Amino acid sequence: MSENVSRKEKYENFIKMIKDSGVNYDIDKIGRAYKLCEQAHEGQFRSSGEPFFYHPVAVATILFELGMDSDTLAAALLHDVVEDTDVTIEEIEKQFGSDVAMLVSGVTKVTQIGKLPSREEQQAENIRRMLLAMSEDIRVIIIKLADRLHNMRTIDCRPLKNQLDNSLETLEVYAPIAHRLGIRTVKEELEDLAIKHLDPVGYKEIEDSLQSVKEYRQQFLEKIKAKIKNRLKDIVPNAHIEGRVKSIHGIYRKMYMQGKSFDEIYDIYAVRIIVDTLNDCYNVLGIVHDIFRPLPGRFKDYISTPKPNMYQSLHTTVLDREGVPFEVQIRTWEMHRTAELGIAAHWKYKENIDKSDKKMEERLAWIRQLLDAQKESDDVEEIVRSIKTDLSQEDVFAITPKGDVINLPAGSTVIDFAYAIHSAVGNSMIGAKVDGRIVPLNHVVQTGDVIEIITTSAPGHGPSRDWLKMVKSSEARSKIRAWFKKEKRAENIETGRAELEREFKRNNIALSGEMAEEFLQKIAERLHCNSVDDMYAAIGYGGISIQGIIPRIKEEYNKRVKAAPSVDVSKYVVSQRKTSTDGVIVEGIDNCLIKLSRCCDPLPGDDIIGFITRGHGVSIHKTDCTNVPKDISKSFEPERWVKAYWDTTARESFKSTITIMAIDRPALLADVTIALANMRVAIHAINAREIKGGNCQIVITVSIENLQHLQNIISAMQKVDGVISVERSAQ
Ligand code: MN
């Protein structure tokens, strides 16, 4: 039978791949695991129609590429066997040893979550189990990441609801964990696949933008590489120079979360220089700064202070002779391996690694920290939020007067710093000095700050509730809450009750007498509180976030009071950035993240419509944009299109990009910028390049107030000598 032949080939190819690695793998054990996997899953199929065992084989292949050990590969092949077939853990232990059995049961435990009421609660429980599994053996989570990666690669065959839910979870949980473990290759692929499904339009915009400037940037990079190579050839002859393109998700974040335009992102393309020794890194840096002018404030030494996920490199942004900024990354080969594989680099080319490796223990300290922080919180969903805030952000490094380096999430204040030293330091804090000067408590820590915390030993002193609004790290937040929880129960109950009442009013929840009592009792139960007072107290000290529970309260209220439950679309709008809502009103959703879509660049005055992207706010398109279905009621998911209007009361400027074609001549660019300056138009980005036939294309991103203003700018540009055409561009 032909299928048997191809199965035989598949097996042989897999074994050959492992043999060819030249690493001393336990081929016998891996081969037996493969056979058992194929046999046990016989007759099972994936939604794509493929035999099921293709999936564990693919997961094992991903782990092989990361350089994981024999036991991990065997466990990957068997990871779904206990859950989906008759094979038991005892049998696996007998055939493959206790390590493989432990890994398989770890992965199975993480996978099997019972029925919990809400997606958030399921996710929280899932994360808690993952953290626990990680603290036992980190390989469990590396298998889980590879499992998720293969499922995301093949997610197109799944129903749409699964695609969206899994993509959101991948972005919120799995990718941040891969990031913390430093497994860049897996992290970036997970993020790109998730964004592709959550916001297909935004994904394609970036893909197209990258494609359109590809040739030009490639030539640019080649020129830069040649220049560097030429200067390095005598001093660091072994230097390896390569170009690097930022991941689509990385660009997406900068464009939609930080509101930058494509042209304003300096590190879309970067030059990476890999050398043999640490000394060479700094030598190369000196030479690069000698050839190109460095941009001030953009140099980062992640070699002397590595990122918490072990990443090491020198980063600098420099200008070429024409003033085009680009990023340069400099590192050794060893740092490069860690940058790509992170924690997995531990296993690469090594068998029988000592699990009590001290360095590794240190590197995984954050897992214990998260588990501890979680114990302080009564709110299971809190852990989801801490993963999101703590794990997915850039870090800053500040220094104690004794010279200890403290890592904090970007945006942290001196209060975070105090609590990072010790909870006793935070609780007795009355002030702080940065570089010798007294600063306010909401002072945001910058990398390199030397911070001294001023404390008091006065009895009865403690943190203030306002501090909860100033801190960024979940560590500080949970320590402050722990203090209030312990010290101020009566006060917490009062604060909690008042807060909840206020929130009820805001949401038009009106209950009286017995009904109110019963309703509150029910809510308390759903939040795992023993009594209504416990719930008030938890709200009071911040263990339960009121914003987090309001959707569930509304749902419960609608169930009881109103017959028809309304769909709370705002549940899917996870990233909230208040300022950006100014200017656009979306019907039915307050305070959500708005992004003006780049495919049609809508401006005040245009007719617009919103699209709920699940996970990344509402994107606003012109109603005549090609990405808006002609007949929405017949479109794929009509409920995700929402009415949107320009808020005429808000006066805000918008960014718009225009493309000018002109006959190239001296001072052309100067004349264009002078004309804009005369109109008092702010320029955000400008790019000029030669095109065929002696012509020149200038792409400018400017601030404008409305459509009329843009038209005025366009006609002013048309009057510049030599200009052939001016167009508002859809990037
Ligand atoms: Mn699986």
Side-chain angles (χ1 to χ4, degrees):
M1 259 163 58
S2 73
E3 212 217 344
N4 279 334
V5 175
S6 76
R7 282 193 172 207
K8 191 162 168 266
E9 267 173 28
K10 195 172 169 66
Y11 172 77
E12 278 163 3
N13 289 341
F14 182 82
I15 295 296
K16 182 172 183 299
M17 168 183 86
I18 288 170
K19 273 188 182 151
D20 286 354
S21 68
V23 182
N24 190 19
Y25 274 111
D26 187 341
I27 304 277
D28 169 62
K29 194 189 261 183
I30 295 170
R32 281 187 292 119
Y34 188 109
K35 287 291 180 196
L36 177 59
C37 154
E38 186 177 349
Q39 209 180 67
H41 289 295
E42 186 63 59
Q44 296 177 350
F45 296 90
R46 307 198 81 214
S47 15
S48 63
E50 283 177 343
F52 187 88
F53 83 96
Y54 281 27
H55 164 66
V57 171
V59 173
T61 306
I62 293 169
L63 291 162
F64 165 77
E65 283 160 0
L66 289 175
M68 297 304 292
D69 61 345
S70 301
D71 283 348
T72 308
L73 264 50
L77 288 163
L78 302 170
H79 82 268
D80 281 326
V81 156
V82 175
E83 203 185 351
D84 297 341
T85 78
D86 299 334
V87 181
T88 62
I89 278 289
E90 290 71 32
E91 221 169 311
I92 289 178
E93 174 154 12
K94 215 160 66 198
Q95 287 189 40
F96 301 96
S98 57
D99 262 31
V100 175
M102 180 273 301
L103 292 173
V104 172
S105 92
V107 176
T108 309
K109 256 187 257 158
V110 172
T111 314
Q112 287 172 336
I113 328 171
K115 284 270 167 284
L116 285 165
S118 75
R119 192 185 78 88
E120 287 77 14
E121 281 161 282
Q122 276 183 34
Q123 200 179 60
E125 179 57 19
N126 194 357
I127 293 171
R128 198 184 63 82
R129 291 190 188 191
M130 277 202 274
L131 290 170
L132 280 172
M134 274 194 264
S135 62
E136 275 160 33
D137 193 316
I138 196 72
R139 289 175 297 178
V140 171
I141 249 48
I142 301 177
I143 297 172
K144 200 64 203 149
L145 287 172
D147 180 35
R148 175 54 64 114
L149 179 57
H150 184 247
N151 286 335
M152 287 300 292
R153 281 180 187 169
T154 52
I155 202 170
D156 286 331
C157 305
R158 311 271 303 153
L160 184 76
K161 176 150 176 23
N162 285 357
Q163 289 186 22
L164 295 173
D165 284 349
N166 286 344
S167 295
L168 194 53
E169 189 182 47
T170 297
L171 208 55
E172 289 177 348
V173 180
Y174 288 90
I177 288 177
H179 173 66
R180 264 293 137 138
L181 298 176
I183 314 175
R184 189 193 66 83
T185 48
V186 171
K187 171 200 170 240
E188 285 187 355
E189 195 181 341
L190 283 175
E191 286 173 339
D192 282 359
L193 287 166
I195 278 295
K196 192 175 171 179
H197 290 91
L198 284 168
D199 188 357
V201 176
Y203 183 88
K204 194 165 178 305
E205 282 166 27
I206 294 171
E207 215 175 28
D208 291 348
S209 302
L210 279 175
Q211 195 56 38
S212 72
V213 292
K214 195 173 166 201
E215 203 179 311
Y216 164 74
R217 293 301 298 208
Q218 246 161 19
Q219 284 169 6
F220 174 80
L221 278 179
E222 283 310 315
K223 211 169 68 188
I224 298 291
K225 274 160 66 181
K227 225 181 222 174
I228 298 174
K229 197 159 212 117
N230 190 38
R231 279 288 296 275
L232 289 184
K233 69 175 187 286
D234 298 324
I235 312 158
V236 193
N238 277 339
H240 170 83
I241 309 178
E242 59 183 32
R244 174 209 82 121
V245 185
K246 203 177 181 64
S247 75
I248 292 198
H249 178 262
I251 299 170
Y252 189 96
R253 267 178 76 116
K254 288 222 160 151
M255 282 174 76
Y256 297 131
M257 304 291 153
Q258 299 176 22
K260 297 213 163 117
S261 79
F262 193 77
D263 297 325
E264 286 171 294
I265 306 174
Y266 295 153
D267 55 353
I268 287 181
Y269 295 86
V271 174
R272 181 179 290 153
I273 306 171
I274 308 173
V275 295
D276 294 330
T277 67
L278 186 73
N279 259 347
D280 283 347
C281 291
Y282 291 97
N283 284 338
V284 168
L285 178 74
I287 293 164
V288 166
H289 279 178
D290 190 40
I291 313 176
F292 307 103
R293 193 156 60 83
L295 267 184
R298 301 273 313 184
F299 171 65
K300 291 183 201 115
D301 184 348
Y302 293 122
I303 291 181
S304 64
T305 38
K307 291 192 185 181
N309 68 6
M310 311 179 269
Y311 178 89
Q312 286 188 297
S313 250
L314 300 175
H315 286 192
T316 183
T317 304
V318 296
L319 299 169
D320 81 339
R321 204 163 287 149
E322 283 91 57
V324 181
F326 61 96
E327 190 178 82
V328 181
Q329 306 175 344
I330 306 163
R331 56 175 79 144
T332 65
W333 283 106
E334 201 195 330
M335 293 171 195
H336 183 58
R337 258 192 302 278
T338 305
E340 298 290 297
L341 300 173
I343 199 101
H346 265 269
W347 285 273
K348 186 106 185 158
Y349 310 127
K350 281 177 241 158
E351 276 289 304
N352 302 322
I353 180 165
D354 181 6
K355 259 174 273 150
S356 59
D357 187 334
K358 222 167 153 221
K359 255 188 165 166
M360 177 121 103
E361 284 285 298
E362 272 168 37
R363 283 162 175 175
L364 297 175
W366 61 274
I367 297 171
R368 236 148 286 124
Q369 247 176 46
L370 270 180
L371 279 169
D372 286 348
Q374 191 210 5
K375 278 189 212 127
E376 289 303 332
S377 172
D378 298 336
D379 181 358
V380 278
E381 290 158 25
E382 172 69 21
I383 202 78
V384 179
R385 279 191 294 278
S386 18
I387 290 252
K388 279 192 264 178
T389 53
D390 274 18
L391 300 190
S392 55
Q393 267 160 356
E394 288 288 312
D395 292 293
V396 292
F397 313 98
I399 305 159
T400 68
K402 280 188 198 147
D404 294 329
V405 176
I406 307 273
N407 283 328
L408 296 165
S412 290
T413 60
V414 286
I415 305 175
D416 290 288
F417 183 86
Y419 278 100
I421 298 173
H422 196 278
S423 40
V425 175
N427 289 338
S428 58
M429 172 181 195
I430 49 167
K433 282 184 187 172
V434 171
D435 299 327
R437 278 203 315 272
I438 300 249
V439 295
L441 290 180
N442 62 3
H443 175 88
V444 174
V445 175
Q446 305 293 327
T447 288
D449 280 354
V450 176
I451 303 175
E452 186 189 336
I453 300 297
I454 308 162
T455 57
T456 174
S457 53
H461 178 84
S464 140
R465 269 180 215 282
D466 292 341
W467 292 10
L468 287 169
K469 294 184 198 115
M470 295 185 214
V471 296
K472 187 85 181 175
S473 62
S474 65
E475 190 188 354
R477 204 170 302 128
S478 68
K479 283 177 177 172
I480 294 171
R481 281 180 193 151
W483 188 88
F484 276 106
K485 186 182 179 182
K486 223 171 100 202
E487 308 282 329
K488 309 266 167 177
R489 180 166 162 95
E491 198 181 293
N492 288 334
I493 293 177
E494 259 330 290
T495 318
R497 191 203 309 268
E499 263 184 59
L500 196 63
E501 272 168 14
R502 206 165 38 236
E503 211 52 36
F504 275 20
K505 246 185 223 150
R506 250 170 50 91
N507 288 284
N508 298 320
I509 297 175
L511 292 157
S512 54
E514 235 167 77
M515 201 171 165
E517 227 164 86
E518 192 211 324
F519 180 70
L520 287 168
Q521 190 62 44
K522 180 84 201 159
I523 296 289
E525 254 167 53
R526 278 193 73 176
L527 296 168
H528 313 289
C529 295
N530 290 326
S531 68
V532 175
D533 270 359
D534 275 4
M535 172 176 76
Y536 285 147
I539 294 171
Y541 74 82
I544 290 176
S545 140
I546 206 148
Q547 294 310 328
I549 61 172
I550 269 297
R552 258 184 286 158
I553 293 180
K554 276 202 235 169
E555 188 191 307
E556 194 70 43
Y557 179 72
N558 287 335
K559 237 195 297 182
R560 275 151 193 266
V561 181
K562 294 185 197 161
S566 66
V567 180
D568 185 6
V569 276
S570 61
K571 183 164 89 185
Y572 292 118
V573 186
V574 292
S575 307
Q576 307 209 338
R577 192 176 56 172
K578 199 161 184 269
T579 53
S580 65
T581 61
D582 297 343
V584 175
I585 299 167
V586 177
E587 207 169 88
I589 309 175
D590 298 330
N591 280 347
C592 59
L593 171 66
I594 298 282
K595 60 173 208 205
L596 298 176
S597 164
R598 300 240 160 222
C599 51
C600 54
D601 266 334
L603 286 176
D606 288 333
D607 285 334
I608 49 172
I609 187 164
F611 181 70
I612 301 171
T613 65
R614 279 231 192 173
H616 286 84
V618 175
S619 64
I620 302 295
H621 297 262
K622 296 206 288 194
T623 44
D624 58 3
C625 169
T626 51
N627 289 313
V628 176
K630 285 280 158 302
D631 185 350
I632 285 170
S633 61
K634 287 189 192 131
S635 71
F636 190 36
E637 283 183 291
E639 69 281 6
R640 290 175 67 186
W641 291 97
V642 287
K643 285 195 181 137
Y645 321 93
W646 296 104
D647 180 358
T648 44
T649 57
R651 207 186 133 82
E652 210 198 354
S653 57
F654 294 82
K655 281 181 193 172
S656 185
T657 302
I658 52 179
T659 304
I660 302 171
M661 296 286 265
I663 301 162
D664 206 3
R665 63 171 173 86
L668 172 70
L669 203 55
D671 288 350
V672 167
T673 51
I674 289 165
L676 288 170
N678 286 341
M679 295 181 75
R680 304 196 176 279
V681 174
I683 302 176
H684 293 283
I686 191 159
N687 248 306
R689 62 186 176 113
E690 251 174 75
I691 50 174
K692 280 184 203 110
N695 287 345
C696 163
Q697 185 195 54
I698 305 171
V699 180
I700 314 179
T701 305
V702 290
S703 273
I704 58 156
E705 277 149 28
N706 53 39
L707 205 52
Q708 187 54 49
H709 187 213
L710 176 67
Q711 265 142 17
N712 295 345
I713 293 170
I714 289 179
S715 39
M717 291 298 101
Q718 277 161 341
K719 287 183 196 129
V720 173
D721 202 22
V723 167
I724 303 164
S725 69
V726 184
E727 269 169 41
R728 169 181 175 186
S729 38
Q731 287 193 5

